[in-house]
Amino acid sequence: MTIQLEICSFNLASALIAQEAGAQRVELCAGADEGGTTPSPGVIRMARERLHIALYPIIRPRGGDFLYTEEEFRVMWKDVEYCKQVGCDGVVIGLLRADGGIDKQRCARLVELAYPLGVTFHRAFDWAANPFEAMEDIISIGCERILTSGQRPAAMEGVDLINELVREADDRIVVMPGAGIRSSNITALAERTDAREFHTSARVQRVSGMEFVNRAMEEEQSVVMADGEEIQLILERLATAAANRSVK
């Protein structure tokens, strides 16, 4: 059994680290402090030129909730068009209604627009009112996977729900755990969920290389960066987990 690892990369450098470390896919984002927003066209284009692994930019015009205005939806439409134009492998979307249901109508329009690109439904899922109804709606609109922490802040906290979702999905859609995943817990998460795809940023804070720092500004200038060694360790432990499943 093959288990895949997706790296949430908040800059081009992290995407390249993910590729070199052996990850199979990059979710390309900006706005680490906001949980991920759409990266600039320049970053998307450069990533497409430099990456030979799968590239899925997130389509999220702002941080905050997942209830979008018509103007914000139009921005998302344009961003999907751009990702398709430059040859991305897929996009990552997520729109909700005010009542916590999936915004099926507008999600379906984005999935149709993105075709033949793949579409992941991101952690807007974790804010849905009913996870099992939400999954059925997401399947019906044609998404290929759901990124979820089991409707908890971290995947290990939501592991029981993730396991239920994987079983209920029954190969109709990929349920991909994400949030708080590290090499220290990936084995337990893999064993307890039977998921076959996992998502992590494997993040570290890279200290600024500036020699001069204006201390009066009182601001931290470190950068969120992917840790290549951590990614490799996660992949090694996933490979072991996959081998153990095959033996059973």
Side-chain angles (χ1 to χ4, degrees), residues 159-160 162-163 166-167 177 188-195 198 245:
V159 66
D160 292 335
I162 294 171
N163 178 257
V166 169
R167 295 182 184 282
L189 190 62
E191 290 176 349
R192 293 180 62 185
T193 63
D194 282 334
F198 295 85
R245 286 187 197 176

Side-chain angles (χ1 to χ4, degrees), residues 204-217:
V204 291
Q205 293 291 133
R206 186 182 70 183
V207 177
S208 171
M210 288 291 296
E211 295 178 3
F212 170 77
V213 178
N214 182 358
R215 301 297 180 187
M217 290 301 296

Side-chain angles (χ1 to χ4, degrees), residues 124-144:
F125 176 86
D126 290 324
W127 295 86
N130 184 309
F132 294 99
E133 288 183 9
M135 182 171 69
E136 295 302 325
D137 287 343
I138 293 167
I139 291 171
S140 72
I141 62 179
C143 291
E144 60 184 0

Side-chain angles (χ1 to χ4, degrees), residues 8-142:
C8 178
S9 302
F10 291 102
N11 43 59
L12 178 60
S14 291
L16 295 173
I17 289 169
Q19 175 170 266
E20 184 176 355
Q24 289 80 23
R25 184 171 59 248
V26 161
E27 181 197 39
L28 190 63
C29 303
D33 292 340
E34 297 180 286
T37 55
T38 306
S40 74
V43 171
I44 295 172
R45 182 177 289 274
M46 282 290 293
R48 180 68 293 172
E49 291 175 0
R50 298 288 302 279
L51 295 178
H52 57 74
I53 61 175
L55 174 63
Y56 279 58
I58 194 170
I59 307 300
R60 189 182 178 208
R62 57 164 173 78
D65 65 28
F66 306 99
L67 181 66
Y68 295 107
T69 66
E70 187 58 31
E71 288 76 16
E72 289 169 332
F73 179 71
R74 290 173 184 170
V75 170
M76 299 170 85
W77 185 275
K78 294 294 184 183
D79 286 336
V80 172
E81 284 185 329
Y82 181 77
C83 290
K84 191 172 180 179
Q85 173 190 332
V86 300
C88 295
D89 299 283
V91 292
V92 182
I93 68 168
L95 299 86
L96 300 179
R97 302 190 309 261
D99 64 0
I102 303 300
D103 187 342
K104 289 179 61 177
Q105 181 179 7
R106 293 200 289 184
C107 284
R109 289 173 64 189
L110 291 179
V111 170
E112 182 178 0
L113 173 65
Y115 184 83
L117 276 59
V119 179
T120 299
F121 195 97
H122 59 52
R123 288 185 63 213
F125 176 86
D126 290 324
W127 295 86
N130 184 309
F132 294 99
E133 288 183 9
M135 182 171 69
E136 295 302 325
D137 287 343
I138 293 167
I139 291 171
S140 72
I141 62 179

Side-chain angles (χ1 to χ4, degrees), residues 205-208 219-224:
Q205 293 291 133
R206 186 182 70 183
V207 177
S208 171
E219 292 181 10
E220 178 60 57
Q221 290 191 311
S222 62
V223 178
V224 172

